[in-house]
Every structure is written in structure tokens, then in C-alpha cells.
Amino acid sequence: MDTQAPRVPVMLPWLGEEEAQAAAAAVMSGWVAQGPRVAAFEEAFAERVGAAQAVAVSSCTTALHLALVGLGVGLGDDVVVPSLSFIATANAVRYVGARPIFADVEEATGNVTAATVEAVRTPATKAVIAVHQGGVPADVAALRGACARWGAALLEDAACAIGSTVGGRPVGAGARVAAWSFHPRKLVTTGEGGMLTTDDEDWARRLRRLREHGMSASAADRHASSTPVLESYLEVGFNYRMTDVQAAVGLVQLGKLDAMVARRRELAARYDLLLGDVPGLRPVRDPEYGQGNFQSYWVLFEPGFPAARDEVLAALSDAGVSARRGIMAAHLEPAYRGHPHAPLPVTERITRDSLILPLFHTMTEEQQDRVVAVLREQAKR
Ligand SMILES: *Cc1c(COP(=O)(O)O)cnc(C)c1O
């Protein structure tokens, strides 16, 4: 007889009957491509993150690409990015023919700061991408001020940060441009999907056009018009549209965001409580200037911890717990072999010595206790 409890996943989207019905309603309406539900999702999303405009796209990767095109970044330009991020952050810079310049991060948050960007910035630096890594907000007040002084545009990669706050306001509020993800690893999911937010209406209009082949009138506009609309193609654009089926799911998910963040913060606080006295293990915390959504609850093993990160990962796996290595570092991947960069000691330490623990909306205390038991056991080796 198998007495083993089911595996504890590292992440599980919180989807249910309501999302299924919303998707079914979109299908039954006969309008499945970008249409009224995308427009409604954009409006609700902009309001939620405190931005004037939101432009839905097919992923955060395409959102980052479009944002860089919109900012006029291209061949001969440099863009400062953290290496400690999902690889899409750096890749987007390559898509427009610009050069990623890797900046180190601060250990407490895993994020770039005005000082780490300043240390590597070049005269050709046209933009900076700051990532709110794992949902921990970056210090955007300082970064926005520094970028304004340098004459560089600040693009916020907020893929992980829906529901996180800075200075009491949502991440995204006041951003020149922020890019968001609805991949199932993030809190709010539409399967695949992304969003751009900005306060600049003209700019949002251009991004809307760029996501739809550079067309002067959107397919939805033409369809809604009773007289023929002859579109023209004003510049070379892309097909980065979201579907109405995805937006229908997104609208339901957005309505659950407050509950998602509250539950994740509750579970994170319980991890803190149960792991707080383990020597050599440092859990991620809120910075002074803001609050995270705990999309990723990661722990850093300090030199005093008796087991190596990969040994802990293996012990968790043996105990039926799925964890993940810490946040990746792009400069260590084959895709960036030979790409010159300054020393990145903090990035390399975090990616080597950190671990992302399971945390999901429906996680039980019993499941969390199983994770904690393995970590406490490893600490006594
Ligand atoms: C997930 C993620 C992305 C990519 O998002 P997609 O929607 O999957 O394209 C980009 N940047 C960061 C920091 C991410 O975590």
C-alpha cells in the first residue's frame, strides 16, 4: 500500500469553476480573438495597479520587447539589466539589437539598485530594466530619480510583482512603463499572457498599434464599425495580441488578487516563524520601502549552513517536496557565454546558494510543516 502523501508542488495556480465559466462564455460568444474582454481586462488592470493605461499582450516577454521598441532602443544602444532574472529580461534587449549590460543586485532583495546600475552604466546606456524579483519590490523611487539624472528610460519588469507595493502604492503606479506576466508561475494567470502599463496615452496608443501589425485601425474597431474601415500599416509591428478567452480568465483572476496576496503573506509569515531560529538560513523579507506579494518565498543559505543547496534540494525531493533552485543568472547560461560583464558576486552567490520553497494559495499547514521538517533536519547534519 502506498502511504506516501501526494507531492507538494512548488507552485499551483488558483483556478476554479468561475474561470472555467468565464472562458466558456467567451467561446460561446463567438468572439475569441482580441475584443471586448481584452478591453475590459485592460481597464480593470490599469485601475488595479494605479496606471492610466494598460495594453494587453501575449506574454511578458513580448511586453518587454514592445516596450523597448516603443522606447526607441536599438542597435548601438546599451540597456542595463540584472543577470539575476528569468532569461527573458536580457533576451528582450537582444531582440531589438541592443547590448545587455549586466548589473549586480543587492543581497537583501535580489534587485538592482541605483548604485549597482551606476557601477556598470555606459555612455550608450539608453534604458535600464529593473526587475521586481520574485515579487520583492525594487527601490523605484531611487531608480527613477537616478535614471532621470542619467537621461535613461526606466522599464520596470513587474512580471512577478502584481499586488506588491512601494511606499504604500501598487508596483506600477508612476512607472514610465511596466511589463507584467500572466504565466501560471505568477499570481494572476491567463495561461500565457502579459500586459504593459503606462500613464502616457499617446505612448499607449502606439504600443496598441505595435502589438497589432502597426495597423491604423484595430481588427475590433473595424468589426464594430457599420461602414467599411480601410486600415493602413503605419510601421512594422508584431502580432502580440492576447485573446478574449485569456482576458475572460484574467478578469476573474484579478478579482481574486487581494485574497491571493493575503494568503501568500500569511503562509510566508508562518514560514518565517517556523524557520526563524534555523542558523545559516536567511528567508527573503520585505524591504523597508514596500511589501512583496511573496510570489517566490526564497531562502539564502549562509556559510554556516551545514548542507549545500543542491543537497537540500535533493532531500526535499526525497521527502516528496518540489522546490526550485534559486533565481537563475543569465550570464551563467550557454546563451550568454562569452558576453562580457563586470564581476557579479552577489548574483552568483544568490543563484548558487538560494532555494525557492513551495508556496501556493491552497497550501495546507500540514504541507508547509513537511517542507519545514526537511529544512530543520538538514540544518542539523
Ligand atoms: C516570468 C518572467 C518573465 C517572462 O514572462 P512570460 O509571460 O512567461 O513571458 C520575464 N521576467 C521575469 C522577471 C519573469 O519572472
Side-chain angles (χ1 to χ4, degrees):
M1 198 179 76
D2 186 4
T3 54
Q4 283 255 297
R7 261 190 109 70
V8 180
V10 69
M11 175 66 176
L12 199 62
W14 184 33
L15 291 162
E17 192 58 40
E18 235 192 309
E19 284 87 347
Q21 279 173 13
V27 170
M28 295 310 288
S29 78
W31 194 301
V32 288
Q34 178 184 291
R37 287 175 174 84
V38 167
F41 185 37
E42 288 176 339
E43 199 174 316
F45 193 89
E47 160 125 33
R48 184 61 178 76
V49 305
Q53 300 284 330
V55 179
V57 288
S58 53
S59 70
C60 184
T61 305
T62 57
L64 291 167
H65 183 193
L66 268 199
L68 290 170
V69 172
L71 290 168
V73 176
L75 209 62
D77 294 327
D78 288 343
V79 179
V80 177
V81 300
S83 168
L84 190 81
S85 182
F86 184 60
I87 199 160
T89 310
N91 285 351
V93 177
R94 299 289 297 274
Y95 298 164
V96 296
R99 181 172 68 152
I101 305 279
F102 291 128
D104 211 358
V105 294
E106 65 173 357
E107 195 183 276
T109 61
N111 290 326
V112 296
T113 65
T116 68
V117 174
E118 173 76 271
V120 295
R121 179 175 75 89
T122 62
T125 298
K126 190 156 184 179
V128 173
I129 306 183
V131 179
H132 301 280
Q133 193 52 258
V136 180
D139 188 358
V140 286
L143 282 160
R144 285 172 193 168
C147 283
R149 280 198 306 282
W150 302 328
L154 180 64
L155 163 55
E156 296 181 34
D157 181 342
C160 309
I162 179 75
S164 299
T165 62
V166 180
R169 296 165 79 205
V171 163
R176 168 86 174 84
V177 58
W180 309 81
S181 173
F182 306 121
H183 184 273
R185 268 298 283 274
K186 327 295 181 182
L187 268 67
V188 165
T189 186
T190 60
E192 296 278 359
M195 194 73 84
L196 280 164
T197 55
T198 177
D199 287 342
D200 187 330
E201 204 175 318
D202 291 338
W203 213 57
R205 196 172 305 121
R206 169 132 190 262
L207 293 171
R208 288 208 164 83
R209 204 166 71 205
L210 280 169
R211 81 170 157 194
E212 196 164 13
H213 307 289
M215 263 156 45
S216 60
S218 75
D221 290 346
R222 281 183 295 142
H223 202 85
S225 173
S226 54
T227 55
V229 178
L230 299 179
E231 84 284 7
S232 57
Y233 297 82
L234 304 170
E235 59 183 320
V236 175
F238 306 87
N239 177 0
Y240 284 172
R241 285 174 301 219
M242 175 184 277
T243 70
D244 254 28
V245 183
Q246 292 169 297
V249 172
L251 274 164
V252 177
Q253 286 269 290
L254 202 56
K256 291 157 81 169
L257 176 61
D258 287 337
M260 290 179 190
V261 174
R263 178 61 181 151
R264 297 187 81 87
R265 289 189 61 83
E266 196 172 67
L267 287 165
R270 191 164 182 273
Y271 265 138
D272 284 349
L273 198 70
L274 298 174
L275 295 172
D277 63 336
V278 177
L281 190 155
R282 207 211 68 202
V284 63
R285 294 238 162 73
D286 282 330
E288 275 162 39
Y289 52 80
Q291 285 200 340
N293 61 6
F294 287 95
Q295 181 198 287
S296 295
Y297 185 91
W298 54 274
V299 295
L300 184 69
F301 297 109
E302 297 185 315
F305 197 83
R309 190 271 312 273
D310 290 350
E311 292 169 338
V312 181
L313 201 52
L316 284 164
S317 182
D318 289 346
V321 174
S322 294
R324 290 284 182 277
R325 68 168 185 175
I327 299 144
M328 65 171 297
H331 77 282
L332 298 177
E333 294 300 320
Y336 285 88
R337 190 172 292 142
H339 187 82
H341 61 83
L344 301 164
V346 182
T347 296
E348 288 179 3
R349 192 161 118 58
I350 294 180
T351 199
R352 184 188 64 226
D353 295 336
S354 67
L355 195 62
I356 297 172
L357 301 182
L359 205 168
F360 47 95
H361 189 82
T362 51
M363 188 177 201
T364 63
E365 294 196 350
E366 183 272 330
Q367 287 176 314
Q368 202 175 22
D369 291 343
R370 277 171 63 195
V371 180
V372 169
V374 176
L375 287 166
R376 297 194 73 91
E377 191 60 40
Q378 291 298 305
K380 287 192 304 220
R381 276 153 61 114

